[in-house]
């Protein structure tokens, strides 16, 4: 007789298992950077719809691959035990075998590499370097001899790869260079993506500590991690004003300040709640905040007259 794991939940259909393992609630984190990077390319007069679409597909595949490897890696290291407060993990629940999950991650990364190769042909070796680093980091997040998530480096990893790497990489593959605006705008995008992970790690701080997973929340404590979350969200929401005041972004970028309405609920939940369901809701709400902020910032940047058009109009 087959014995189900202690943390097993009723098994969905095979397709539903893989969809759950992809963690669709967190996938907007891959969309917002591409929107902002594409808007920066448009503002510079170099928007390319085909490259933008390919960049979005690559970003989604990279995140799905990372999520699959994370599911496999956390199970292998014993981090997804029966006391876990977050959503059910497919390998720990017995829905998908570890071998199949590892293969799923490899396939997602291979597809990302194949599509990325088209972008490399368009943008050159810099795009190849960014793509290779992204795949390596996705694997190293919870696998390999130095798993980043187990060393308290998850938040810096997310800030870097969902911020500057993703935003600037998106602009790079469209116009062949990176603007100061893209680099500056990438920081708040990365901050909010990192805030999503902070919620996750605050929720799991006790179980991660018992499993030896030394996340940043485990290292600095749940209270300090909650304050870090608030700092990341507030800094990100204040950034459109800073971008405009510094002359890097047009006044229309202030449209992103409208995302503040979506920040109140998760800020309050992370500050006050300790139960799994409430923090799961805060995680999903933070992912929505990230997408809304990214979409509004992208719209504000893209709606302004392009600097290339302005230069053409002002030319003698």
């Amino acid at each position: 007789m087959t014995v189900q794991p202690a943390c097993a939940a009723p098994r969905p259909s095979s397709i539903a298992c893989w969809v759950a393992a992809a963690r669709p609630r967190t996938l907007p984190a891959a969309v917002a950077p591409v929107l902002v990077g594409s808007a920066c390319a448009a503002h510079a007069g170099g928007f390319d719809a085909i490259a933008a679409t390919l960049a979005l597909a690559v970003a989604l595949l990279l995140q799905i691959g990372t999520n699959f490897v994370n599911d496999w890696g956390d199970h292998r290291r014993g981090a997804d035990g029966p006391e876990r407060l977050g959503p059910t993990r497919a390998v720990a629940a017995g829905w998908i075998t570890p071998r199949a999950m590892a293969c799923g991650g490899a396939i997602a990364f291979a597809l990302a590499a194949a599509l990325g190769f088209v972008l490399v042909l368009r943008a050159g070796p810099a795009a190849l370097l960014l793509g290779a680093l992204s795949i390596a980091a996705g694997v190293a997040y919870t696998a390999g001899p130095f798993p980043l998530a187990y060393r308290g480096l998850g938040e810096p990893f997310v800030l870097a790869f969902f911020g500057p790497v993703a935003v600037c990489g998106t602009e790079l593959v469209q116009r062949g260079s990176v603007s100061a605006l893209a680099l500056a705008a990438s920081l708040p995008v990365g901050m909010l993506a990192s805030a999503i992970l902070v919620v996750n790690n605050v929720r799991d701080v006790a179980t991660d500590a018992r499993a030896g997973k030394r996340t940043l929340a485990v290292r600095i404590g749940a209270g300090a991690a909650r304050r870090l979350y608030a700092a990341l969200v507030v800094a990100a929401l204040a950034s459109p004003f800073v971008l405009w005041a510094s002359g890097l972004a047009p006044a229309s970028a202030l449209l992103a300040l409208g995302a503040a309405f979506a920040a109140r609920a998760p800020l309050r939940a992370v500050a006050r709640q300790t139960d799994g369901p409430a923090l799961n809701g805060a995680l999903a709400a933070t992912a929505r905040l990230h997408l809304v902020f990214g979409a509004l910032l992208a719209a504000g940047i893209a709606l302004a007259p392009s600097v290339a058009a302005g230069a053409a109009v002002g030319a003698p």
Side-chain angles (χ1 to χ4, degrees), residues 103-214:
C103 288
I107 290 171
F109 286 135
L111 290 173
L115 293 179
F117 184 70
V118 179
L119 295 174
V120 170
L121 294 176
R122 299 167 67 98
L128 176 62
L129 176 62
L130 290 179
L133 287 175
S134 296
I135 292 175
V139 174
Y141 183 69
T142 49
F146 192 82
L148 301 174
Y150 287 73
R151 300 294 190 274
L153 297 175
E155 283 80 0
F157 157 83
V158 168
L159 194 155
F161 281 89
F162 286 82
V165 172
V167 174
C168 296
T170 297
E171 186 184 39
L172 174 68
V173 299
Q174 293 184 54
R175 56 184 294 265
S177 61
V178 176
S179 64
L181 172 58
L183 182 59
S186 72
L187 296 178
V189 176
M191 288 177 189
L192 288 177
S194 189
I196 298 172
L197 181 60
V198 174
V199 182
N200 181 85
N201 290 343
V202 166
R203 181 198 64 206
D204 296 339
V205 64
T207 54
D208 283 345
R210 285 194 290 272
K213 187 176 183 180
R214 302 285 294 172

Side-chain angles (χ1 to χ4, degrees), residues 16-28:
C17 288
W18 284 102
V19 170
R23 306 180 194 178
R25 285 188 174 186
T26 66
L27 293 184

